[in-house]
Amino acid sequence: GCGDAKAENKEASGAPALQKVRVGGDSAIFSLQFRVAKEQGIFEKNGIDAEISTFSFGIDTLNAVLTDRVDVGEAMDYAALSAISKGDLKVLSLFNSPKATSSKLFARDGISKPEDLVGKKLGVQKGTVNEYIWGKYFETFHIDPKAVTLVPLQSTAEILAAYDRGDIQAAWFGTAFFDKAEKIKGSVALNDQSAINIRTKGFLVAKGSLIKDHPEISAELNKSLAEASQYIIDHPEEAAELAFKELKIPKENALNEIKNQWEFDVRFKQEDYDQLKEIKEWSIANGYIEQDFNLDDKLALDGLKEAFPDKVDIK
Amino acid sequence: MRYVRKGLQMGIVSWLLFLILWQIFAMNSNQDYFPTPVQTFRGAVELIADNSLVTYVFISFKRVLLGWLLGSLLGIPAGLLIGRFKWLRQLVEPYLNFFRFIPALAFITLFILWFGIGEQSKVILIMYATLFIVILNTAAGVVNVEDDKIRSARSLGASERQILIHVIIPAVVPAFFNGVRLAMGNSFMAIVGAEMIAANEGVGYLIWTSRLYSKTDWIFVGLLLLGLMGFTGDQLLRWLGKTSLKRYGIAKETRFGR
Amino acid sequence: MRYVRKGLQMGIVSWLLFLILWQIFAMNSNQDYFPTPVQTFRGAVELIADNSLVTYVFISFKRVLLGWLLGSLLGIPAGLLIGRFKWLRQLVEPYLNFFRFIPALAFITLFILWFGIGEQSKVILIMYATLFIVILNTAAGVVNVEDDKIRSARSLGASERQILIHVIIPAVVPAFFNGVRLAMGNSFMAIVGAEMIAANEGVGYLIWTSRLYSKTDWIFVGLLLLGLMGFTGDQLLRWLGKTSLKRYGIAKETRFGR
Amino acid sequence: MISIRQLGKSFQSGAGKKAVRYQVLKDVDLSINKGEFFILLGPSGCGKSTLLNLIAGFEKQTEGELLVGGEAVDRPGKERAMVFQHPDASLFPWLNVRENIEFGLRMQGMRKGERKAISDRYIELAGLTGHERKFPRELSGGMKQRVQIARVLANEPDILLMDEPLGALDAFTRRVMQEELVRIWSETKKTIIFVTHDIQEAVLLGGRIGIMSIGPDSRVFEIMDNRLEYPRDLTSREFNLIQKKLQGIFQDDLYFHL
Amino acid sequence: MISIRQLGKSFQSGAGKKAVRYQVLKDVDLSINKGEFFILLGPSGCGKSTLLNLIAGFEKQTEGELLVGGEAVDRPGKERAMVFQHPDASLFPWLNVRENIEFGLRMQGMRKGERKAISDRYIELAGLTGHERKFPRELSGGMKQRVQIARVLANEPDILLMDEPLGALDAFTRRVMQEELVRIWSETKKTIIFVTHDIQEAVLLGGRIGIMSIGPDSRVFEIMDNRLEYPRDLTSREFNLIQKKLQGIFQDDLYFHL
Ligand SMILES: Nc1ncnc2c1ncn2[C@@H]1O[C@H](COP(=O)(O)OP(=O)(O)OP(=O)(O)O)[C@@H](O)[C@H]1O
Ligand SMILES: Nc1ncnc2c1ncn2[C@@H]1O[C@H](COP(=O)(O)OP(=O)(O)OP(=O)(O)O)[C@@H](O)[C@H]1O
Ligand SMILES: [Mg+2]
Ligand SMILES: [Mg+2]
């Protein structure tokens, strides 16, 4: 499309040949590293001229990659898999993941153990990793998915509202919502994600052709994100300020999330691979992914390996 | 008879042309994102096979119908009163011209909070989307009733109440018929938003989830269904208007079209 | 003068009443979901402080204006032609009454696909949302031009082209003015959708992101901004109509309201 | 009954810099007694309809005083019924001929049988037999006017304001209506104010004939008494004398320089 | 020029089971030569306007043949100009008096200066001096009609179809317009078909006078030649003779049983 044409022009004219990359980020802290890397000139330093577009969810950024509207996107494992099953996408690294404690399952109306969920209404954000977490949760606690009602809602605000009213009896909330969820009468935190022994992970995904034509981009991107991670850890206040400025995330929420919810770390380990594989299997088994594919074909870890040899360990 | 047949032919011509253009267009695009009529048809068959298509259409139609009906039933008397009483008009008009620009979509969170995640909030959302356009059209109709009609009714001894019932209402029928038809368009706009709320079923839900999973053919099925439902509803409404409201001059309003 | 003053008073009364009702209502609700006017005001101040509020309003308004203008510029001539030529009407009408029920919102994914994630797809989405209502109103206006006017123009020696320019267009001005006003409402419905999916600026985005973090006061700021922008745009349009299109009978159209 | 003193009426045409004021009536002095058959005679455009509208309370004078039954007229009242110069705006298009004529009776709660008896009579009188079930748009110009007259006569108001009611009728129908009017007036002693530009008609009907000067600044500059017995003989010497006298006034050059 | 054979026209009123057909015209035979001043005389509702509409090509006959200049009439043509019975629908409300009168000239591309010279003349003739800048809604009933006549006369069409054009005018204005009509006709030898219900007017103007029977099934049952020299003297013996003869026809009981 027209984006490509523009990219080439810039390439030709710029003397210090910066690589133009169109990046899609979601509108939460998940994409903070991108924003920091851009604002702090980290991308530029690594030879990348990044143009960031914002979408609602990670899955939207991958859809944009699929349709060639951006070159690079981000998504949690579950959404990432559903997208890479559809087109020529490559996973470049795991770059940001929520801590296990960052997401808690709250329940109300006297529910005190997982088994009590049977027959209840539960809030879910469809198409996001939230859907997988529930699936996994049912598996772990031997709850028949047919014995509960999953109520799809669009964003956490709606989930909270429905939960507050008692229209749903349980839902997962992120750190930003712990206070509000706790305040609701009869509401208790049942579990966090450690109970089901998974941690959702955020992956950096790029258009396959981009990596094929410009293999160096992967290393540059990963270096930038790693550097941005360090910056965020060192300067949480500034990063939160940026989150407010760029994304209109309330500053206190941003700070809270930076400190407590996210682990900014660029890597790709065996456990990460295993988890992707497991989710893939699960998605196929549950019909969320129609076409099986070879996961290894979808990985392009050379760039990461080149930048941080010790951060990649995979057979 | 000749007209009926000709009109029919014309309709068929239109749709054939449409299918052909679609096919050509789709064949020249990436079909993952722009399915051809055939692919869309296959998508529809999938959905029909597990019975969800018919259920979805039925459910969405019910919601639209209910919300639209409530909106109209509320909007018509409100519009009549607002059009009739100048002080009320002056009081209420700023709100009307303010709220009509706040789309139903922006209210989703609040509506869940106030009305829950059940049918209620969906129907109310659709009602909200139809309400303003019906009120505005009706009120404008009332304001534009020819003075001479009201004057002669009054000098023929009609009371204010009788003027409302026997002059204003009949004279306004075309205006509110028009409003109600336009409002139906808005209902369909709202159903897509409404079914993003906590819905497990419905055409809006189909489009929404298909979007998340990038099932473009299903998105297309959803779009076509919305169009078809709207088209059918509109034709029904027009037919009703033509037959039962004929003496109020609806024929003229529906003259645009077959 | 007296009327102006009185109207103004009435306007102020309306808004004061509104604020009071809001305050009472909010105080009796959970303020996490329903902030009071004061809380909303504070939220607005936060956003004004870092300049984003003004930028957002500006950006959204620009999008709405552009899309709406394009939609109107496209819709008016299309409506004129469709109204004027019966064969064209018969050919195109099925589409019109089909697509007008497929809401812009449902097209978001496809529009991003076709037109990218930049301004283009947003503006086109808004254009789409305004197009049909403008076409329909204009075409209906054309169809309803009194026969006697066209007949006398023809017997006074006007060519078909002249009839279009000197009779149909002036006679249709009130109808398309009305269409254009209604369409503005639809633009605001579309902007929220457009800015939800791919944008990091604009009032629609503000509402969306505030939802992610349940910042209800900011949601309210967004809602109020939409209302205000719409209200302002509408008043502007009405004023324009009243002053520059007076001789075409717009005054009557805008008679509903001040 | 009706007392008019120093009455004036002006219209503003255009707005802003281009505004022009037209003084239509100026210094009109007139009093009309209960039970009078008063004729307003004057050339086209002199202000006859305007004066009638003022008496009816449809418009507000800009100067002077206008009392009906001792009270200032500020709004239409059911004791004053108007037959408009153009029937199009005042007939109810959703009612057929019979229903239009029965409208006033129905408003007063008269039962169907009674209503039918009365409307039958007026339908015959107005020569509308056989057309009872036609709607106004299906009538000829003269027929519409006859419906309007029949509707008002059937209702027997205290004061009848008639604006060139018989202008559009052929000689025969006209004669029938004139006779009926005289009959009704002599039987019921209603007050009738009858506008015409036909001198013969003026002499045939009127007890007093008010002659208006050419506009602008029109006024009733002479009132002629006409004490001829009813029914009047068009061929009688006295009749022709009065007619000649009136013609003399209008042919006088002086009239054009009043 | 105009040749009418076995012409019939019926209207359907109502639909479905309640439908009634009214046969308005039946077996009308008439031919009118180029340059004739032809009068159509008949009582209200007999079908005069209907016949004129057929000749103008505004409606289609249901039976028989209607040729103008040897060709079947199937649509309005610019050689046939109509002065409508009611001017409201045919005047252009967005043009003022002068602009309305100049409309035809402007369409033919005449320059401003020339146009003004012509319109000035007709404005004076129609007694509209001083009202040039008024818009139709600001005119009296008679003034609107005068604008319509002036507009058509200024345009000098080949065939003038005039439907009771002078009915709403006072005697004086009427006389002026009649004289002007005769003058224009004698100078330019246009064909004029003039509908009236006024016998004196018929005799004053017409070369031949076609008398229509009372509807339904109306036809032109007699054509009277009138060879009097123009300008005609209302008081001459010959004039009165013809007038009497015509009156005789309408007063004859036989007429009502034709
Ligand atoms: N709304 C208006 N604005 C400006 N002028 C007006 C308006 N209404 C009426 N007039 C003017 O007032 C004058 C008198 O009009 P009116 O209708 O009373 O005349 P009339 O005596 O009834 O004439 P006719 O016999 O032709 O009906 C006219 O010159 C007309 O142009
Ligand atoms: N659309 C219609 N539907 C049914 N009947 C109609 C329609 N148009 C006209 N008519 C009937 O045709 C007859 C003749 O009407 P037309 O207007 O030609 O009369 P006219 O001679 O011009 O009378 P007038 O002198 O009152 O204008 C009337 O009886 C009328 O009711
Ligand atoms: Mg008048
Ligand atoms: Mg007629």
Side-chain angles (χ1 to χ4, degrees), chain D residues 140-142, chain E residues 48-50 85 163-164 195:
Chain D
S140 82
Chain E
K48 306 181 293 296
S49 300
T50 305
Q85 191 168 5
D163 197 353
E164 304 192 30
V195 167

Side-chain angles (χ1 to χ4, degrees), chain B residues 51-199:
Chain B
N51 241 337
S52 50
L53 193 101
V54 180
T55 329
Y56 284 7
V57 168
F58 186 75
I59 287 175
S60 295
F61 208 67
K62 205 188 73 193
R63 286 173 184 154
V64 164
L65 207 71
L66 212 65
W68 169 81
L69 246 144
L70 284 175
S72 302
L73 285 182
L74 216 80
I76 290 172
L80 283 173
L81 291 177
I82 289 169
R84 195 82 189 101
F85 299 109
K86 206 177 164 195
W87 61 269
L88 188 63
R89 193 155 72 241
Q90 285 183 323
L91 190 74
V92 171
E93 221 218 346
Y95 304 156
L96 285 181
N97 275 329
F98 184 85
F99 282 104
R100 80 180 174 97
F101 293 105
I102 306 183
L105 193 59
F107 272 120
I108 290 183
T109 317
L110 290 172
F111 276 23
I112 288 188
L113 193 70
W114 295 337
F115 310 111
I117 54 171
E119 287 303 290
Q120 211 186 351
S121 63
K122 295 180 190 70
V123 170
I124 291 179
L125 200 78
I126 291 164
M127 195 185 92
Y128 174 87
T130 62
L131 193 61
F132 293 104
I133 208 157
V134 174
I135 292 185
L136 281 174
N137 260 278
T138 309
V142 173
V143 172
N144 286 321
V145 173
E146 281 150 309
D147 287 337
D148 278 1
K149 289 205 173 42
I150 298 172
R151 287 165 175 176
S152 25
R154 188 172 287 131
S155 68
L156 288 168
S159 66
E160 290 304 308
R161 207 179 58 83
Q162 285 178 320
I163 288 179
L164 188 70
I165 295 173
H166 296 288
V167 183
I168 309 272
I169 292 183
V172 152
V173 166
F176 70 56
F177 186 74
N178 202 26
V180 151
R181 270 185 73 198
L182 285 176
M184 201 179 247
N186 281 26
S187 311
F188 279 86
M189 198 147 337
I191 188 75
V192 176
E195 290 182 344
M196 286 183 190
I197 311 178

Side-chain angles (χ1 to χ4, degrees), chain C residues 148-158 163 167, chain E residues 92 103 107:
Chain C
D148 278 0
K149 288 204 174 43
I150 297 172
R151 289 166 172 175
S152 22
R154 188 172 288 134
S155 68
L156 288 168
I163 288 178
V167 183
Chain E
F92 304 121
F103 183 86
M107 292 304 103

Side-chain angles (χ1 to χ4, degrees), chain E:
Chain E
M1 179 103 217
I2 299 173
S3 137
I4 296 170
R5 247 171 294 165
Q6 293 295 313
L7 186 85
K9 171 76 186 171
S10 62
F11 290 101
Q12 175 160 336
S13 174
K17 265 193 236 162
K18 284 190 177 175
V20 191
R21 281 205 86 80
Y22 293 96
Q23 184 82 31
V24 176
L25 298 175
K26 199 174 175 189
D27 296 341
V28 178
D29 282 292
L30 187 65
S31 47
I32 297 169
N33 296 322
K34 198 172 152 84
E36 250 194 285
F37 201 137
F38 192 89
I39 305 283
L40 266 180
L41 192 63
S44 170
C46 72
K48 306 181 293 296
S49 300
T50 305
L51 184 54
L52 229 49
N53 278 334
L54 291 173
I55 298 174
F58 297 160
E59 307 227 25
K60 191 96 194 87
Q61 70 264 34
T62 40
E63 299 114 38
E65 190 184 72
L66 166 53
L67 308 175
V68 170
E71 281 180 50
V73 171
D74 59 349
R75 50 186 256 110
K78 79 175 200 182
E79 73 288 352
R80 284 160 283 155
M82 178 81 140
V83 175
F84 294 88
Q85 191 168 5
H86 287 299
D88 282 308
S90 76
L91 292 182
F92 304 121
W94 56 87
L95 301 180
N96 63 27
V97 167
R98 182 185 295 283
E99 290 163 343
N100 260 293
I101 293 176
E102 289 182 359
F103 183 86
L105 307 174
R106 189 153 61 96
M107 292 304 103
Q108 278 140 51
M110 191 181 284
R111 254 168 307 138
K112 210 173 170 183
E114 271 179 274
R115 256 165 32 208
K116 187 159 182 304
I118 297 182
S119 62
D120 269 343
R121 220 184 98 221
Y122 285 98
I123 284 168
E124 214 206 309
L125 183 114
L128 291 167
T129 316
H131 303 286
E132 297 92 337
R133 280 171 48 199
K134 282 187 183 172
F135 287 88
R137 67 178 164 283
E138 299 170 338
L139 300 177
S140 82
M143 286 158 86
K144 282 184 218 166
Q145 188 59 303
R146 285 181 268 155
V147 174
Q148 209 199 163
I149 298 170
R151 185 174 72 171
V152 167
L153 291 184
N155 213 47
E156 307 201 336
D158 292 340
I159 303 181
L160 257 163
L161 307 171
M162 308 186 87
D163 197 353
E164 304 192 30
L166 312 181
L169 306 185
D170 61 289
F172 176 75
T173 320
R174 190 169 189 157
R175 191 57 34 89
V176 175
M177 304 293 283
Q178 284 166 342
E179 275 166 23
E180 180 64 12
L181 208 57
V182 167
R183 195 192 56 71
I184 289 176
W185 173 74
S186 355
E187 281 175 14
T188 62
K189 285 293 169 197
K190 308 277 172 203
T191 314
I192 299 181
I193 306 180
F194 188 103
V195 167
T196 183
H197 53 246
D198 181 327
I199 294 176
Q200 195 185 49
E201 187 168 73
V203 180
L204 188 71
L205 297 174
R208 287 197 300 156
I209 301 168
I211 301 162
M212 293 185 72
S213 56
I214 303 180
D217 296 353
S218 193
R219 63 192 169 87
V220 180
F221 79 98
E222 190 172 331
I223 294 178
M224 187 177 279
D225 258 331
N226 177 356
R227 304 246 164 105
L228 295 179
E229 282 285 306
Y230 295 97
R232 289 169 178 170
D233 180 0
L234 287 171
T235 54
S236 75
R237 217 181 62 89
E238 294 91 339
F239 191 100
N240 275 288
L241 223 69
I242 299 178
Q243 200 173 336
K244 283 258 162 63
K245 213 166 124 193
L246 274 172
Q247 271 161 356
I249 293 176
F250 285 108
Q251 273 151 21
D252 194 335
D253 254 12
L254 269 179
Y255 178 71
F256 296 98
H257 300 100
L258 276 171

